[in-house]
Amino acid sequence: MKKQYKLPKEFTKKWLEALRGEDYEQGTGTLCKDNKYCCLGVAVDIAYPEWKTDKSLTNDTFYNYELLEIEYPTQVDDDFRNILLDKGFPVELFNDEDLTATLGTLNDGGLNQVRNDIHQHIFSQIADWIEKHVELY
């Protein structure tokens, strides 16, 4: 079966390990709020662990991510996007809106045209989905 999406192997292996580990508590609706992460927030944290506390980021550059409740990496400004890319965050998680929307739906629950279901998936199930649908390069 040909996989629909592509992500870099080194980053994705770290992300899958984090999703299957016990270091992140799952949350919904935002990358991170009250120290609870969506699966995409875990991806951001893997690439840039200091993202929530980096004082060099101004309010205009989303210094306070929790208050802004950013749901997807595609919603960050160009400065933060460039920082993430420099830190090894996969460009595909910015450019492939279908992939990020599907991952967000798996994390938060909701009707998804690809999966046709409405329940929330736990991190380990999302990791399984990534392995099944994402080709590593």
Side-chain angles (χ1 to χ4, degrees):
M1 173 178 116
K2 185 173 179 354
K3 296 185 178 184
Q4 184 174 358
Y5 308 103
K6 292 183 179 186
L7 288 172
K9 183 185 293 187
E10 184 178 332
F11 175 86
T12 306
K13 287 187 181 270
K14 290 177 189 174
W15 188 23
L16 294 175
E17 184 178 309
L19 290 173
R20 290 190 170 112
E22 297 180 5
D23 292 338
Y24 293 93
E25 186 175 352
Q26 191 167 359
T28 60
T30 184
L31 293 177
C32 180
K33 185 169 186 172
D34 300 326
N35 214 27
K36 294 180 182 178
Y37 294 78
C38 82
C39 63
L40 294 166
V42 173
V44 170
D45 207 58
I46 293 300
Y48 186 26
E50 307 85 12
W51 70 289
K52 294 183 301 173
T53 58
D54 186 342
K55 301 251 188 260
S56 70
L57 299 175
T58 66
N59 285 334
D60 292 338
T61 317
F62 296 151
Y63 171 68
N64 193 338
Y65 301 93
E66 291 191 352
L67 287 179
L68 290 172
E69 297 188 1
I70 304 300
E71 293 183 50
Y72 298 110
T74 53
Q75 294 174 315
V76 301
D77 71 358
D78 287 342
D79 290 338
F80 189 55
R81 174 189 164 103
N82 291 335
I83 291 169
L84 285 175
L85 291 174
D86 286 346
K87 301 279 186 179
F89 190 82
V91 69
E92 294 87 352
L93 291 178
F94 285 118
N95 295 342
D96 191 335
E97 291 184 16
D98 182 55
L99 175 57
T100 57
T102 299
L103 289 167
T105 300
L106 290 171
N107 188 88
D108 295 352
L111 185 61
N112 180 291
Q113 293 176 352
V114 175
R115 296 187 44 87
N116 198 25
D117 60 18
I118 57 170
H119 69 283
Q120 179 185 13
H121 292 71
I122 60 173
F123 280 161
S124 62
Q125 292 171 318
I126 294 170
D128 292 344
W129 184 92
I130 292 168
E131 284 184 327
K132 184 176 180 180
H133 296 275
V134 176
E135 178 182 336
L136 304 182
Y137 65 87

